[in-house]
Amino acid sequence: MAIRLDGKVASLNIKEQLKKEFLSLDRKACLAIIHFNDLASASYLKGRIKLAEELNVEIKEIAIKEDSRQEEIISLIKSLNDDKSVDGIMIDRPLPKKYDENYVLSFINEKKDVDGYTYNNLGRLLTNSACYPSATPKAAIRLLEYYNIDVSSKDVLVIGRSVNVGKPLALMLLNKNATVTIAHSKTKNIKEKCQKADIIFLAVGKANFLKSEDVNENSIIIDIGINYDENNKLVGDASKLCYEIVKMYSPVPGGVGVMTNIVLMENLLMAYKNNE
Ligand code: NAP
């Protein structure tokens, strides 16, 4: 029977420790979240606000109006950079297409960059130096760590190469001595690569992308995908039939997604301390 890598169980442990640390601070740590009022943002926001309440963290939620100009978002970021009561800043990605995402994100003060977007934080990841790790890829790693799964010397396959998830995840795994293959939409023979990999990380964004015939009894699946099926039910990138075959899997929901918000709060704590 496959082992379920449960994000809720893993996050409980970290949450208790974090709560103690946030409660011991001189003032409440504050995370500013800029979002664009869409459905996905609303569901992420709900989870973050709930967690923030549990951890004694303040959330400053800022919804951007549909007709806002890029310069307005940049000046908002600058004012949050200067605001001493704000410790961390995050913007829900992807930004609407009319904005130049990389340009806008580059205005975040790197010391408040709790989701590791800025060029400096990405560069530090590249050089394996201390940085704010991007929350989603770090969450996948934290889940493995909780279950004592060592990636060193393992053949890992990361499917997806976005700056948001796939690329930083591949770098984090490389920094932990995994042998990393990155696959994307132009990659040949992905099914064979899945069969050969010790651990498959899915960051594609397509329900049922990974099928039962792509895995075997030694496979470990870490599913980062967030999709909605025809019944509007949240599902990952792996077909649930894979769960009956593999050695271990992280479910969706209840896997990496739960850990992502926890990592964000870990980064916020780090930012609070760095900004003191
Ligand atoms: P993205 O920017 O759309 O990237 C998707 C990646 O998948 C791209 O690199 C793309 O390749 C690759 N891909 C698409 N079709 C493929 C195919 N047929 N074969 C192989 N590769 C293929 O998405 P993202 O922002 O990285 O997010 C990935 C998934 O993670 C989404 O479902 C997203 O909702 C989810 N996510 C989850 C969390 C969380 O907290 N759990 C957080 C963020 C994102 P190309 O580069 O060649 O186009």
Side-chain angles (χ1 to χ4, degrees):
M1 177 109 157
I3 297 172
R4 181 184 154 97
L5 306 173
D6 193 321
K8 284 189 193 146
V9 173
S11 66
L12 268 185
N13 217 358
I14 309 169
K15 204 195 287 185
E16 282 316 304
Q17 185 54 37
L18 268 177
K19 190 173 173 178
K20 276 188 207 146
E21 294 216 42
F22 277 119
L23 280 169
S24 72
L25 302 178
D26 293 340
R27 62 169 173 84
K28 248 186 175 186
C30 173
L31 172 64
I33 302 179
I34 301 173
H35 66 90
F36 296 88
N37 256 326
D38 52 81
L39 251 179
S41 290
S43 97
Y44 284 130
L45 194 63
K46 213 169 128 195
R48 285 173 191 145
I49 290 175
K50 185 168 172 286
L51 178 63
E53 279 167 4
E54 289 176 58
L55 297 179
N56 196 43
V57 163
E58 188 187 334
I59 297 281
K60 197 187 208 49
E61 176 211 335
I62 305 152
I64 300 293
K65 292 198 197 94
E66 218 176 308
D67 58 357
S68 293
R69 287 179 298 114
Q70 178 158 298
E71 292 66 34
E72 292 175 83
I73 304 177
I74 292 170
S75 79
L76 168 67
I77 292 173
K78 285 180 176 169
S79 72
L80 293 169
N81 284 342
D82 293 339
D83 186 339
K84 288 206 169 5
S85 70
V86 171
D87 302 287
I89 303 169
M90 71 165 299
I91 305 185
D92 269 343
R93 289 180 290 173
L95 270 64
K97 293 237 173 325
K98 64 176 171 172
Y99 304 118
D100 179 343
E101 179 165 309
N102 287 337
Y103 182 70
V104 172
L105 297 177
S106 72
F107 284 89
I108 299 177
N109 177 337
E110 62 180 281
K111 287 192 169 171
K112 296 190 178 187
D113 176 24
V114 289
D115 205 6
Y117 310 129
T118 55
Y119 294 129
N120 278 351
N121 271 313
L122 288 169
R124 288 195 186 98
L125 185 60
L126 191 68
T127 53
N128 199 8
S129 22
C131 64
Y132 295 95
S134 182
T136 302
K138 183 68 187 182
I141 305 253
R142 294 289 266 135
L143 189 60
L144 287 175
E145 284 170 352
Y146 178 80
Y147 284 95
N148 290 319
I149 300 165
D150 187 4
V151 299
S152 177
S153 303
K154 298 271 167 48
D155 289 324
V156 307
L157 174 64
V158 177
I159 311 183
R161 58 171 166 181
S162 72
V163 180
N164 200 2
V165 188
K167 277 184 198 162
L169 174 60
L171 282 172
M172 286 176 198
L173 291 163
L174 192 60
N175 290 343
K176 291 177 88 58
N177 299 320
T179 303
V180 184
T181 301
I182 307 175
H184 46 78
S185 66
K186 306 288 185 288
T187 301
K188 289 186 291 179
N189 306 328
I190 291 196
K191 286 180 182 293
E192 272 172 34
K193 291 179 171 55
C194 290
Q195 276 291 350
K196 286 185 184 151
D198 296 315
I199 310 176
I200 306 166
F201 292 84
L202 294 160
V204 179
K206 289 187 176 156
N208 288 320
F209 175 83
L210 189 76
K211 305 207 166 23
S212 54
E213 63 265 26
D214 304 335
V215 293
N216 59 54
E217 68 281 5
N218 293 316
S219 311
I220 298 177
I221 303 173
I222 303 297
D223 195 344
I224 302 166
I226 293 183
N227 313 290
Y228 291 88
D229 70 8
E230 57 284 0
N231 303 316
N232 218 18
K233 216 174 135 217
L234 179 61
V235 294
D237 287 345
S239 150
K240 292 220 172 2
L241 295 174
C242 296
Y243 299 175
E244 290 163 23
I245 296 167
V246 297
K247 186 167 156 193
M248 298 178 192
Y249 68 93
S250 72
V252 178
V256 175
V258 189
M259 296 294 282
T260 300
N261 286 341
I262 291 280
V263 171
L264 203 55
M265 293 300 170
E266 284 183 326
N267 286 354
L268 180 70
L269 185 63
M270 207 192 304
Y272 178 102
K273 291 177 179 169
N274 286 344
N275 289 318
E276 276 301 275

